[in-house]
Amino acid sequence: MSRSTTTTRPPARLLRSTPLAVALASGLLLSACGGSDDEPAAVTPTLVDQTVTVIDGPIRGATVCLDLNDNDACDTGEPRATTGTDGSATLTGLAAETLAAHAVLADVPADAVDADHGVVGTAFQLKTPAGKPAVVSPLTTLVAAHMANAGGTAAAADTALAEQLGLSGSLFDNFTGKTDAAATQAAVLAWPRRSTPWPPPWRRPSRSPSAA
């Protein structure tokens, strides 16, 4: 006489509570949600400090700022600092991408002091194009004006103006305190003789700050 074999299945509630079942369910849940390991890491902006030097000779008492809204004015809320006796100031805690995307301005008040030429006497503004923040001078201001009028890159404007002016170096160089031919020539171009009407034509009149 044959005997039948009956397989007893565990209750469904017990199956669901076994370690294997829990692991399988967790894996399916993580897969559906993309998985914790697949979540993109939060991107933290790279913050940098940028030293800016304002020169004819080194100019003390100028306000430098990063022109975040590109309106040629140092507005409330824009990163700013005031230059010391060596003409330098440091803009701190800037996102590298933001620094590269905007011009740096220097508002020079009438009582600012040029280390080579004394009190400036007339307020004016200097500028350097986006991506060239290290030096702000009458020559970098020429480059910015050329770009505004003719378009193109800072490098192309620098090359064109250097050729036009007969300058062997870059208009972005810091020419103060140097005696080589290129630096001497740049200093002469940046500071016209006193017979030249003041201020020189490439200096932008200083603008009053406005609210951001």
Side-chain angles (χ1 to χ4, degrees):
M1 184 170 85
S2 62
R3 297 174 60 186
S4 61
T5 302
T6 302
T7 302
T8 303
R9 303 181 65 178
R13 65 179 181 276
L14 294 180
L15 180 64
R16 286 197 297 270
S17 64
T18 62
L20 176 60
V22 171
L24 288 173
S26 297
L28 290 173
L29 180 60
L30 287 173
S31 176
C33 295
S36 59
D37 291 341
D38 295 334
E39 293 294 332
V43 177
T44 302
T46 300
L47 299 182
V48 298
D49 296 342
Q50 177 64 53
T51 298
V52 180
T53 302
V54 182
I55 57 173
D56 268 341
I59 296 176
R60 172 172 58 86
T63 297
V64 297
C65 72
L66 187 63
D67 189 14
L68 296 178
N69 58 1
D70 303 319
N71 70 340
D72 286 340
C74 289
D75 295 320
T76 301
E78 290 180 330
R80 67 175 62 205
T82 302
T83 58
T85 54
D86 63 350
S88 71
T90 302
L91 301 174
T92 62
L94 306 174
E97 297 82 359
T98 302
L99 176 62
H102 301 284
V104 171
L105 308 176
D107 281 343
V108 183
D111 60 354
V113 178
D114 184 317
D116 292 345
H117 307 286
V119 177
V120 300
T122 301
F124 58 89
Q125 184 188 78
L126 300 173
K127 181 177 183 179
T128 192
K132 295 289 186 178
V135 174
V136 186
S137 74
L139 301 185
T140 67
T141 306
L142 275 179
V143 176
H146 186 281
M147 293 172 65
N149 292 330
T153 65
D158 184 25
T159 299
L161 286 170
E163 181 178 349
Q164 179 183 333
L165 295 170
L167 184 64
S168 57
S170 169
L171 278 74
F172 294 111
D173 290 343
N174 185 342
F175 49 79
T176 59
K178 300 176 182 177
T179 57
D180 61 275
T184 301
Q185 184 183 20
V188 170
L189 289 169
W191 185 268
R193 292 182 174 86
R194 288 296 186 176
S195 59
T196 302
W198 184 264
W202 55 76
R203 297 175 187 266
R204 300 177 57 87
S206 183
R207 297 176 58 180
S208 299
S210 60

